[in-house]
Coordinates of all heavy atoms in Angstrom, one line a residue:
M115 N 17.1 -9.7 43.0 CA 16.5 -9.2 41.8 C 17.0 -7.8 41.6 O 16.8 -7.0 42.4 CB 15.0 -9.4 41.9 CG 14.3 -8.9 40.7 SD 12.6 -9.2 41.0 CE 12.0 -8.8 39.4
T116 N 17.5 -7.5 40.4 CA 17.9 -6.1 40.1 C 16.8 -5.4 39.2 O 16.3 -6.1 38.3 CB 19.2 -6.1 39.3 OG1 19.7 -7.4 39.1 CG2 20.2 -5.2 40.0
T117 N 16.6 -4.2 39.5 CA 15.6 -3.5 38.6 C 16.4 -2.4 37.9 O 17.1 -1.6 38.5 CB 14.6 -2.8 39.5 OG1 14.0 -3.7 40.4 CG2 13.5 -2.1 38.7
E118 N 16.2 -2.3 36.6 CA 16.8 -1.3 35.8 C 16.0 -0.1 35.9 O 14.8 -0.1 35.7 CB 17.0 -1.7 34.4 CG 18.2 -2.5 34.1 CD 18.4 -2.7 32.6 OE1 18.4 -1.8 31.8 OE2 18.6 -3.9 32.3
V119 N 16.6 1.1 36.1 CA 15.9 2.4 36.0 C 16.2 3.0 34.7 O 17.3 3.2 34.3 CB 16.4 3.3 37.1 CG1 15.8 4.7 37.1 CG2 16.2 2.7 38.5
E120 N 15.1 3.3 34.0 CA 15.2 3.9 32.7 C 15.5 5.4 32.8 O 14.9 6.1 33.5 CB 13.9 3.7 31.9 CG 14.0 4.2 30.5 CD 12.7 3.9 29.7 OE1 12.1 2.9 29.9 OE2 12.4 4.8 28.9
Q121 N 16.6 5.8 32.1 CA 16.9 7.2 32.2 C 16.8 7.8 30.8 O 17.1 7.2 29.8 CB 18.4 7.4 32.7 CG 18.7 7.0 34.1 CD 20.1 7.3 34.5 OE1 21.0 7.1 33.6 NE2 20.3 7.6 35.7
N122 N 16.3 9.1 30.8 CA 16.2 9.8 29.6 C 17.6 10.3 29.2 O 18.2 11.0 30.1 CB 15.3 11.0 29.7 CG 13.8 10.5 29.8 OD1 13.5 9.5 29.2 ND2 13.0 11.4 30.4
V123 N 18.1 10.0 28.1 CA 19.4 10.4 27.6 C 19.3 11.6 26.8 O 18.5 11.6 25.8 CB 20.1 9.3 26.8 CG1 21.5 9.7 26.3 CG2 20.2 8.0 27.7
P124 N 20.0 12.7 27.1 CA 19.9 13.9 26.3 C 20.2 13.8 24.9 O 21.2 13.0 24.5 CB 20.8 14.9 27.0 CG 21.1 14.3 28.3 CD 21.0 12.9 28.2
C125 N 19.5 14.4 24.0 CA 19.8 14.4 22.5 C 21.1 15.1 22.3 O 21.3 16.2 22.8 CB 18.6 15.1 21.8 SG 18.9 15.4 20.1
D126 N 22.0 14.6 21.4 CA 23.2 15.2 21.1 C 23.0 16.5 20.3 O 23.8 17.4 20.4 CB 24.1 14.2 20.2 CG 24.6 13.1 21.0 OD1 24.7 13.2 22.2 OD2 24.8 12.0 20.4
A127 N 21.9 16.6 19.5 CA 21.7 17.8 18.7 C 21.1 18.9 19.5 O 21.6 20.1 19.3 CB 20.7 17.4 17.6
C128 N 20.1 18.7 20.4 CA 19.5 19.8 21.1 C 19.7 19.8 22.6 O 19.3 20.8 23.2 CB 18.0 19.9 20.7 SG 17.1 18.5 21.3
G129 N 20.1 18.7 23.2 CA 20.3 18.7 24.6 C 19.0 18.4 25.4 O 19.0 18.3 26.6
C130 N 17.9 18.1 24.7 CA 16.6 17.8 25.4 C 16.6 16.3 25.7 O 17.1 15.5 24.9 CB 15.4 18.2 24.5 SG 15.3 20.0 24.3
S131 N 15.8 16.0 26.7 CA 15.6 14.6 27.0 C 14.1 14.5 27.4 O 13.7 15.0 28.4 CB 16.5 14.0 28.0 OG 16.2 14.6 29.3
A132 N 13.3 13.8 26.5 CA 11.9 13.7 26.8 C 11.4 12.6 25.8 O 12.0 12.3 24.8 CB 11.1 14.9 26.6
E133 N 10.3 12.0 26.2 CA 9.7 11.0 25.3 C 8.7 11.8 24.4 O 8.1 12.8 24.9 CB 8.9 10.0 26.1 CG 9.9 9.1 26.9 CD 9.1 8.0 27.7 OE1 8.0 7.6 27.2 OE2 9.6 7.6 28.7
M134 N 8.5 11.4 23.2 CA 7.7 12.2 22.3 C 6.2 12.2 22.8 O 5.6 13.2 22.5 CB 7.7 11.5 20.9 CG 9.0 11.7 20.1 SD 9.4 13.5 20.0 CE 8.2 14.1 18.8
G135 N 5.8 11.3 23.6 CA 4.4 11.3 24.1 C 4.2 12.6 24.9 O 3.1 13.0 25.1
F136 N 5.3 13.1 25.5 CA 5.1 14.3 26.3 C 5.0 15.6 25.5 O 4.5 16.6 25.9 CB 6.3 14.5 27.3 CG 6.3 13.4 28.4 CD1 7.3 12.4 28.4 CD2 5.3 13.4 29.3 CE1 7.3 11.5 29.4 CE2 5.3 12.4 30.3 CZ 6.3 11.5 30.4
I137 N 5.5 15.5 24.2 CA 5.5 16.7 23.3 C 4.3 16.6 22.5 O 3.6 17.6 22.3 CB 6.8 16.6 22.5 CG1 8.0 16.8 23.4 CG2 6.7 17.7 21.4 CD1 9.3 16.6 22.7
I138 N 4.0 15.5 21.9 CA 2.8 15.3 21.0 C 1.7 14.7 21.8 O 1.7 13.6 22.2 CB 3.1 14.4 19.8 CG1 4.2 15.0 19.0 CG2 1.8 14.3 18.9 CD1 4.7 14.1 17.8
K139 N 0.7 15.6 22.1 CA -0.5 15.1 22.9 C -1.7 15.0 22.0 O -2.0 15.9 21.2 CB -0.7 16.1 24.0 CG 0.4 16.2 25.0 CD 0.1 17.3 26.0 CE 1.4 17.4 26.9 NZ 1.5 18.7 27.5
E140 N -2.4 13.9 22.2 CA -3.6 13.7 21.4 C -4.6 14.8 21.6 O -4.8 15.3 22.8 CB -4.2 12.4 21.8 CG -5.4 12.0 20.9 CD -6.0 10.6 21.3 OE1 -5.3 9.8 21.9 OE2 -7.1 10.3 20.8
G141 N -5.1 15.4 20.6 CA -6.1 16.4 20.7 C -5.5 17.8 20.8 O -6.1 18.8 20.9
D142 N -4.1 17.9 20.9 CA -3.5 19.2 20.9 C -3.2 19.7 19.5 O -2.0 19.5 19.0 CB -2.2 19.0 21.7 CG -1.5 20.3 22.0 OD1 -2.1 21.4 21.8 OD2 -0.3 20.3 22.3
D143 N -4.2 20.1 18.8 CA -4.0 20.4 17.4 C -4.3 21.9 17.0 O -4.4 22.2 15.8 CB -4.9 19.5 16.5 CG -6.4 19.6 17.0 OD1 -6.7 20.4 17.9 OD2 -7.2 18.8 16.4
V144 N -4.4 22.7 18.0 CA -4.6 24.2 17.8 C -3.4 25.0 18.2 O -3.0 24.9 19.3 CB -5.8 24.6 18.5 CG1 -6.1 26.1 18.3 CG2 -7.1 23.9 18.1
A145 N -2.9 25.7 17.2 CA -1.7 26.6 17.5 C -2.3 28.0 17.6 O -3.2 28.4 17.0 CB -0.8 26.6 16.3
E146 N -1.7 28.8 18.6 CA -2.0 30.1 18.8 C -0.9 31.1 18.3 O 0.3 30.8 18.6 CB -2.3 30.4 20.2 CG -3.5 29.6 20.8 CD -3.8 29.9 22.2 OE1 -3.2 30.8 22.8 OE2 -4.6 29.1 22.8
V147 N -1.3 32.1 17.6 CA -0.3 33.1 17.1 C -0.8 34.5 17.5 O -2.0 34.8 17.4 CB -0.3 33.0 15.5 CG1 0.6 34.1 14.9 CG2 0.2 31.6 15.0
S148 N 0.1 35.2 17.9 CA -0.1 36.7 18.3 C 0.9 37.5 17.4 O 2.1 37.2 17.4 CB 0.1 37.0 19.7 OG -0.9 36.3 20.5
V149 N 0.3 38.5 16.8 CA 1.1 39.4 15.9 C 0.8 40.9 16.4 O -0.3 41.2 16.7 CB 0.7 39.3 14.4 CG1 1.5 40.2 13.6 CG2 0.9 37.9 14.0
F150 N 1.9 41.6 16.5 CA 1.9 43.0 17.0 C 2.4 43.9 15.8 O 3.5 43.6 15.3 CB 2.6 43.2 18.3 CG 2.2 42.2 19.3 CD1 2.7 41.0 19.5 CD2 1.1 42.6 20.2 CE1 2.3 40.1 20.4 CE2 0.7 41.7 21.2 CZ 1.3 40.5 21.3
A151 N 1.7 45.0 15.6 CA 2.2 45.9 14.6 C 1.5 47.3 14.8 O 0.7 47.5 15.7 CB 1.9 45.4 13.1
D152 N 1.9 48.3 14.0 CA 1.4 49.6 14.1 C 0.0 49.9 13.5 O -0.7 50.8 13.9 CB 2.3 50.7 13.5 CG 3.6 50.7 14.3 OD1 3.6 50.5 15.5 OD2 4.7 51.0 13.7
N153 N -0.4 49.0 12.6 CA -1.7 49.2 11.9 C -2.3 47.9 11.4 O -1.5 46.9 11.4 CB -1.7 50.3 10.8 CG -0.7 49.9 9.8 OD1 -0.8 48.9 9.1 ND2 0.3 50.8 9.5
K154 N -3.5 47.9 11.0 CA -4.2 46.7 10.6 C -3.6 46.1 9.3 O -3.4 44.9 9.2 CB -5.7 47.0 10.3 CG -6.5 45.9 9.9 CD -8.0 46.2 9.6 CE -8.8 45.0 9.2 NZ -10.2 45.4 9.0
G155 N -3.1 46.9 8.4 CA -2.5 46.4 7.2 C -1.2 45.6 7.5 O -1.0 44.6 6.9
Q156 N -0.4 46.1 8.4 CA 0.8 45.4 8.8 C 0.5 44.1 9.5 O 1.2 43.1 9.3 CB 1.7 46.3 9.7 CG 2.3 47.5 9.0 CD 3.1 48.4 9.9 OE1 2.8 48.4 11.1 NE2 4.1 49.1 9.4
L157 N -0.5 44.1 10.3 CA -0.9 42.9 11.0 C -1.3 41.9 10.0 O -0.9 40.7 10.1 CB -2.1 43.2 12.0 CG -1.9 44.0 13.3 CD1 -3.2 44.3 13.9 CD2 -1.0 43.2 14.2
E158 N -2.2 42.2 9.1 CA -2.7 41.3 8.1 C -1.5 40.7 7.2 O -1.5 39.6 6.9 CB -3.8 41.9 7.3 CG -5.0 42.1 8.0 CD -6.1 42.9 7.3 OE1 -5.8 43.5 6.3 OE2 -7.3 42.8 7.7
A159 N -0.6 41.6 6.9 CA 0.5 41.2 6.0 C 1.4 40.2 6.8 O 1.9 39.2 6.2 CB 1.4 42.4 5.6
E160 N 1.7 40.5 8.1 CA 2.5 39.6 8.9 C 1.8 38.2 9.1 O 2.4 37.2 9.0 CB 2.8 40.3 10.3 CG 3.8 39.4 11.1 CD 5.2 39.2 10.5 OE1 5.6 40.0 9.7 OE2 5.8 38.3 10.9
F161 N 0.5 38.3 9.4 CA -0.3 37.1 9.7 C -0.3 36.2 8.4 O -0.3 35.0 8.5 CB -1.7 37.4 10.2 CG -2.5 36.1 10.3 CD1 -2.1 35.2 11.3 CD2 -3.6 35.8 9.5 CE1 -2.8 34.0 11.5 CE2 -4.3 34.6 9.7 CZ -3.9 33.7 10.6
A162 N -0.3 36.8 7.2 CA -0.4 36.1 5.9 C 0.9 35.2 5.9 O 0.8 34.1 5.3 CB -0.4 37.1 4.8
N163 N 2.0 35.6 6.4 CA 3.2 34.7 6.4 C 2.9 33.5 7.3 O 3.3 32.4 6.9 CB 4.4 35.5 7.0 CG 4.8 36.6 6.1 OD1 4.7 36.6 4.9 ND2 5.3 37.6 6.7
Y164 N 2.3 33.7 8.4 CA 2.0 32.5 9.3 C 1.0 31.6 8.7 O 1.1 30.4 8.8 CB 1.5 33.1 10.7 CG 2.6 33.6 11.5 CD1 3.0 34.9 11.5 CD2 3.3 32.8 12.4 CE1 4.0 35.4 12.3 CE2 4.3 33.2 13.2 CZ 4.7 34.6 13.2 OH 5.7 35.1 13.9
L165 N 0.0 32.2 8.1 CA -1.1 31.4 7.4 C -0.5 30.6 6.2 O -0.8 29.4 6.1 CB -2.2 32.2 7.0 CG -3.4 31.5 6.5 CD1 -4.0 30.5 7.5 CD2 -4.5 32.5 6.1
S166 N 0.4 31.2 5.5 CA 1.0 30.5 4.3 C 1.8 29.3 4.8 O 1.7 28.3 4.2 CB 1.9 31.5 3.6 OG 2.6 30.9 2.6
L167 N 2.6 29.5 5.9 CA 3.4 28.5 6.4 C 2.5 27.3 6.9 O 2.8 26.1 6.7 CB 4.2 29.0 7.5 CG 5.4 28.1 8.0 CD1 6.3 27.8 6.8 CD2 6.2 28.9 9.0
A168 N 1.3 27.7 7.5 CA 0.4 26.7 8.0 C -0.2 25.9 6.9 O -0.3 24.7 7.0 CB -0.7 27.4 8.8
K169 N -0.5 26.5 5.8 CA -1.0 25.8 4.6 C 0.0 24.9 3.9 O -0.4 23.9 3.3 CB -1.6 26.8 3.6 CG -2.9 27.4 4.2 CD -3.6 28.3 3.2 CE -4.9 28.9 3.8 NZ -5.6 29.6 2.8
E170 N 1.3 25.2 4.1 CA 2.3 24.3 3.6 C 2.3 23.0 4.4 O 2.6 21.9 3.9 CB 3.7 24.9 3.8 CG 4.0 26.0 2.8 CD 5.4 26.6 3.0 OE1 6.3 26.0 3.6 OE2 5.6 27.7 2.6
V171 N 2.0 23.1 5.7 CA 1.9 21.9 6.5 C 0.6 21.2 6.4 O 0.6 19.9 6.3 CB 2.1 22.3 8.1 CG1 1.9 21.1 8.9 CG2 3.5 22.9 8.3
C172 N -0.5 21.9 6.3 CA -1.8 21.3 6.2 C -2.7 22.2 5.3 O -3.1 23.3 5.7 CB -2.4 21.1 7.6 SG -4.1 20.6 7.6
A173 N -3.0 21.8 4.1 CA -3.7 22.6 3.2 C -5.2 22.9 3.7 O -5.7 24.0 3.4 CB -3.9 21.9 1.8
E174 N -5.7 22.1 4.6 CA -7.1 22.3 5.1 C -7.1 23.0 6.5 O -8.0 22.9 7.2 CB -7.8 21.0 5.2 CG -8.1 20.3 3.8 CD -6.9 19.5 3.3 OE1 -6.2 18.9 4.1 OE2 -6.7 19.5 2.1
V175 N -6.0 23.6 6.9 CA -5.9 24.3 8.2 C -7.1 25.3 8.3 O -7.4 26.0 7.4 CB -4.5 25.0 8.5 CG1 -4.3 26.1 7.5 CG2 -4.4 25.4 9.9
E176 N -7.7 25.2 9.5 CA -8.8 26.2 9.7 C -8.2 27.3 10.6 O -7.4 27.0 11.5 CB -9.9 25.5 10.5 CG -10.6 24.4 9.7 CD -11.6 23.6 10.6 OE1 -12.0 24.0 11.6 OE2 -11.9 22.5 10.1
H177 N -8.7 28.5 10.4 CA -8.2 29.6 11.3 C -9.3 30.6 11.6 O -10.2 30.8 10.9 CB -7.0 30.3 10.6 CG -7.4 31.1 9.4 ND1 -7.6 30.5 8.2 CD2 -7.6 32.4 9.2 CE1 -8.0 31.5 7.3 NE2 -8.0 32.6 7.9
S178 N -9.0 31.3 12.7 CA -9.9 32.3 13.2 C -9.0 33.4 13.7 O -8.0 33.1 14.4 CB -10.9 31.9 14.2 OG -10.3 31.4 15.4
I179 N -9.4 34.7 13.5 CA -8.5 35.8 14.0 C -9.4 36.8 14.8 O -10.6 36.9 14.6 CB -7.8 36.5 12.9 CG1 -8.8 37.1 11.9 CG2 -6.8 35.6 12.2 CD1 -8.1 38.0 10.8
Q180 N -8.7 37.5 15.7 CA -9.3 38.5 16.4 C -8.4 39.7 16.4 O -7.2 39.5 16.7 CB -9.6 38.1 17.9 CG -10.7 37.2 18.1 CD -11.0 36.8 19.5 OE1 -10.0 36.7 20.3 NE2 -12.2 36.7 19.9
L181 N -8.9 40.9 16.2 CA -8.1 42.1 16.2 C -8.5 42.9 17.5 O -9.7 42.9 17.9 CB -8.4 43.0 15.0 CG -7.8 42.6 13.7 CD1 -8.4 43.5 12.6 CD2 -6.4 42.6 13.7
T182 N -7.5 43.5 18.1 CA -7.9 44.4 19.3 C -8.5 45.6 18.7 O -8.4 46.0 17.6 CB -6.6 44.7 20.1 OG1 -5.7 45.3 19.2 CG2 -6.0 43.5 20.8
E183 N -9.2 46.4 19.6 CA -9.9 47.6 19.2 C -9.0 48.6 18.5 O -9.4 49.3 17.5 CB -10.6 48.2 20.4 CG -11.9 47.6 20.7 CD -12.7 48.4 21.7 OE1 -12.6 49.6 21.7 OE2 -13.3 47.8 22.6
D184 N -7.7 48.7 19.0 CA -6.8 49.7 18.4 C -6.1 49.2 17.2 O -5.4 49.9 16.5 CB -5.8 50.2 19.5 CG -4.9 49.0 19.9 OD1 -5.0 47.9 19.4 OD2 -4.0 49.3 20.8
E185 N -6.5 47.9 16.8 CA -5.9 47.3 15.6 C -4.4 47.3 15.6 O -3.8 47.4 14.5 CB -6.5 48.0 14.3 CG -8.0 47.8 14.2 CD -8.5 48.3 12.9 OE1 -7.9 49.2 12.2 OE2 -9.7 47.9 12.5
K186 N -3.8 47.0 16.7 CA -2.4 46.9 16.8 C -2.0 45.5 17.3 O -0.8 45.2 17.4 CB -1.8 47.9 17.8 CG -2.0 49.3 17.2 CD -1.2 50.3 18.0 CE -1.4 51.7 17.4 NZ -0.5 52.7 18.0
E187 N -3.0 44.6 17.5 CA -2.7 43.2 17.9 C -3.7 42.3 17.2 O -4.8 42.6 17.1 CB -2.9 43.0 19.4 CG -1.9 43.7 20.3 CD -2.2 43.4 21.8 OE1 -2.7 42.3 22.1 OE2 -1.9 44.3 22.6
L188 N -3.1 41.2 16.7 CA -4.0 40.2 16.0 C -3.7 38.9 16.8 O -2.5 38.5 17.0 CB -3.5 40.1 14.6 CG -4.3 39.0 13.7 CD1 -4.4 39.5 12.3 CD2 -3.6 37.7 13.7
H189 N -4.7 38.2 17.2 CA -4.6 36.9 17.8 C -5.3 35.9 17.0 O -6.5 36.1 16.6 CB -5.1 36.9 19.2 CG -4.4 38.0 20.1 ND1 -3.2 37.8 20.6 CD2 -4.8 39.2 20.5 CE1 -2.8 38.8 21.3 NE2 -3.8 39.8 21.2
A190 N -4.7 34.8 16.7 CA -5.2 33.8 15.8 C -5.1 32.4 16.4 O -4.2 32.1 17.2 CB -4.5 33.8 14.4
H191 N -6.1 31.6 16.0 CA -6.1 30.1 16.3 C -6.0 29.4 15.0 O -6.9 29.7 14.1 CB -7.3 29.7 17.1 CG -7.4 30.3 18.5 ND1 -8.1 31.3 18.8 CD2 -6.7 29.9 19.6 CE1 -7.9 31.6 20.1 NE2 -7.1 30.7 20.6
L192 N -5.1 28.5 14.9 CA -4.9 27.7 13.6 C -5.2 26.2 14.0 O -4.5 25.6 14.9 CB -3.5 27.8 13.1 CG -3.1 29.3 12.7 CD1 -1.7 29.4 12.6 CD2 -3.8 29.6 11.4
K193 N -6.2 25.6 13.5 CA -6.6 24.2 13.8 C -6.1 23.3 12.7 O -6.5 23.4 11.6 CB -8.1 24.1 14.0 CG -8.5 22.7 14.4 CD -9.9 22.6 14.8 CE -10.4 21.2 15.3 NZ -9.5 20.2 15.6
F194 N -5.2 22.4 13.1 CA -4.7 21.4 12.2 C -5.4 20.1 12.3 O -6.2 19.9 13.2 CB -3.1 21.2 12.5 CG -2.3 22.4 12.2 CD1 -2.1 23.4 13.2 CD2 -1.8 22.7 11.0 CE1 -1.4 24.5 12.9 CE2 -1.1 23.8 10.7 CZ -0.9 24.7 11.7
S195 N -5.2 19.2 11.4 CA -5.9 17.9 11.4 C -5.4 17.0 12.4 O -6.0 16.0 12.8 CB -5.9 17.2 10.0 OG -4.6 17.0 9.6
C196 N -4.1 17.2 12.9 CA -3.6 16.3 14.0 C -2.5 17.1 14.8 O -2.0 18.1 14.3 CB -3.0 15.0 13.4 SG -1.6 15.2 12.4
S197 N -2.1 16.5 15.9 CA -1.1 17.1 16.8 C 0.2 17.3 16.1 O 1.0 18.2 16.3 CB -1.0 16.3 18.1 OG -2.2 16.2 18.7
A198 N 0.6 16.2 15.3 CA 1.9 16.3 14.7 C 2.0 17.4 13.7 O 3.1 18.1 13.7 CB 2.2 14.9 14.0
E199 N 1.0 17.7 13.0 CA 1.0 18.9 12.1 C 1.2 20.2 12.9 O 2.0 21.0 12.4 CB -0.3 19.0 11.3 CG -0.4 17.9 10.2 CD -1.7 17.9 9.4 OE1 -2.7 18.6 9.9 OE2 -1.7 17.2 8.4
K200 N 0.5 20.3 14.0 CA 0.7 21.5 14.8 C 2.2 21.6 15.3 O 2.8 22.7 15.2 CB -0.2 21.5 16.0 CG 0.0 22.6 17.0 CD -0.5 22.3 18.4 CE 0.0 23.4 19.3 NZ 0.0 23.0 20.7
L201 N 2.7 20.5 15.7 CA 4.1 20.5 16.2 C 5.1 21.0 15.0 O 6.0 21.8 15.2 CB 4.5 19.2 16.7 CG 5.9 19.1 17.2 CD1 6.2 20.0 18.4 CD2 6.2 17.6 17.7
I202 N 4.9 20.3 13.8 CA 5.7 20.7 12.7 C 5.5 22.2 12.4 O 6.5 22.9 12.1 CB 5.3 19.8 11.5 CG1 5.7 18.4 11.7 CG2 5.9 20.4 10.2 CD1 5.1 17.4 10.7
Y203 N 4.3 22.7 12.4 CA 4.1 24.1 12.1 C 4.8 25.0 13.1 O 5.5 25.9 12.7 CB 2.6 24.4 12.2 CG 2.3 25.9 12.2 CD1 2.4 26.6 11.0 CD2 1.9 26.5 13.3 CE1 2.1 28.0 10.9 CE2 1.6 27.9 13.3 CZ 1.7 28.6 12.1 OH 1.5 29.9 12.1
E204 N 4.7 24.7 14.4 CA 5.4 25.5 15.4 C 6.9 25.5 15.2 O 7.5 26.5 15.5 CB 5.0 25.0 16.8 CG 3.5 25.3 17.1 CD 3.1 24.8 18.5 OE1 3.6 23.9 19.0 OE2 2.1 25.4 19.0
L205 N 7.4 24.3 14.8 CA 8.9 24.3 14.6 C 9.3 25.2 13.4 O 10.2 25.9 13.4 CB 9.4 22.8 14.3 CG 9.3 22.0 15.6 CD1 9.6 20.5 15.2 CD2 10.3 22.4 16.6
K206 N 8.4 25.1 12.3 CA 8.7 25.9 11.1 C 8.5 27.4 11.4 O 9.2 28.2 10.7 CB 7.8 25.5 10.0 CG 8.1 24.2 9.3 CD 7.1 23.9 8.2 CE 7.6 22.7 7.4 NZ 8.1 23.1 6.1
T207 N 7.7 27.8 12.3 CA 7.5 29.3 12.5 C 8.7 29.9 13.2 O 8.8 31.1 13.2 CB 6.2 29.5 13.4 OG1 6.4 28.9 14.7 CG2 5.0 29.1 12.7
R208 N 9.6 29.1 13.7 CA 10.8 29.7 14.3 C 11.6 30.5 13.3 O 12.2 31.5 13.6 CB 11.7 28.6 14.8 CG 11.1 27.9 16.1 CD 12.0 26.9 16.6 NE 11.3 26.3 17.8 CZ 11.9 25.3 18.5 NH1 13.1 24.9 18.2 NH2 11.3 24.8 19.5
S209 N 11.4 30.2 12.0 CA 12.1 30.9 10.9 C 11.5 32.3 10.7 O 12.1 33.2 10.2 CB 12.1 30.2 9.6 OG 10.8 30.0 9.1
L210 N 10.2 32.5 11.2 CA 9.6 33.8 11.0 C 9.9 34.7 12.2 O 9.8 35.9 12.0 CB 8.0 33.6 11.0 CG 7.5 32.8 9.8 CD1 6.0 32.7 9.9 CD2 7.8 33.5 8.4
R211 N 10.3 34.2 13.3 CA 10.6 35.0 14.5 C 12.0 35.3 14.5 O 12.9 34.5 14.7 CB 10.2 34.2 15.7 CG 8.8 34.0 15.9 CD 8.5 33.3 17.2 NE 7.5 32.2 16.9 CZ 7.5 31.0 17.4 NH1 8.5 30.7 18.3 NH2 6.6 30.1 17.2
K212 N 12.4 36.5 14.2 CA 13.8 36.9 14.1 C 14.2 37.8 15.2 O 13.6 38.4 15.9 CB 14.0 37.7 12.8 CG 13.8 36.8 11.6 CD 13.9 37.5 10.3 CE 13.5 36.6 9.1 NZ 13.4 37.3 7.9

């Protein structure tokens, strides 16, 4: 009796090999964003770009933010309605990170 061993074949486009179940996990629907700037106004302006992108993916995205005392760091949690939306959002945010 021969047993076949299943091998992950790398993707031609990105070189990754994984099953989607390892990437999209049930209940993994919160994205974390950290923004760094010189003042509160710059932080809020930069975060507005991230929030706008999140609302393109899910109009009902929930968010909470925290500013550090010196107002040079903003940390946010964005809660999507499902894990797939979070993953799509994270892929789209790559265009914001230059």
Side-chain angles (χ1 to χ4, degrees):
M115 177 179 193
T116 359
T117 309
E118 273 188 54
V119 176
E120 185 177 324
Q121 292 182 329
N122 290 332
V123 179
C125 169
D126 291 333
C128 67
C130 292
S131 67
E133 293 183 30
M134 286 308 287
F136 292 112
I137 297 171
I138 300 175
K139 297 177 184 155
E140 185 176 345
D142 184 18
D143 54 3
V144 178
E146 296 180 13
V147 174
S148 294
V149 179
F150 304 89
D152 293 329
N153 59 58
K154 184 178 179 180
Q156 289 176 336
L157 287 174
E158 291 173 343
E160 185 65 23
F161 178 67
N163 295 328
Y164 284 90
L165 185 56
S166 174
L167 197 55
K169 287 183 178 187
E170 286 179 21
V171 175
C172 173
E174 294 84 32
V175 67
E176 299 172 13
H177 70 282
S178 63
I179 60 171
Q180 289 183 319
L181 289 172
T182 57
E183 278 188 39
D184 63 1
E185 296 185 340
K186 293 189 177 191
E187 293 180 31
L188 179 148
H189 301 282
H191 290 103
L192 301 158
K193 183 169 179 18
F194 294 88
S195 61
C196 67
S197 302
E199 287 176 348
K200 176 199 168 205
L201 180 61
I202 292 166
Y203 170 74
E204 288 176 338
L205 292 170
K206 285 181 170 251
T207 60
R208 291 180 181 183
S209 66
L210 296 176
R211 296 182 222 142
K212 297 175 185 173

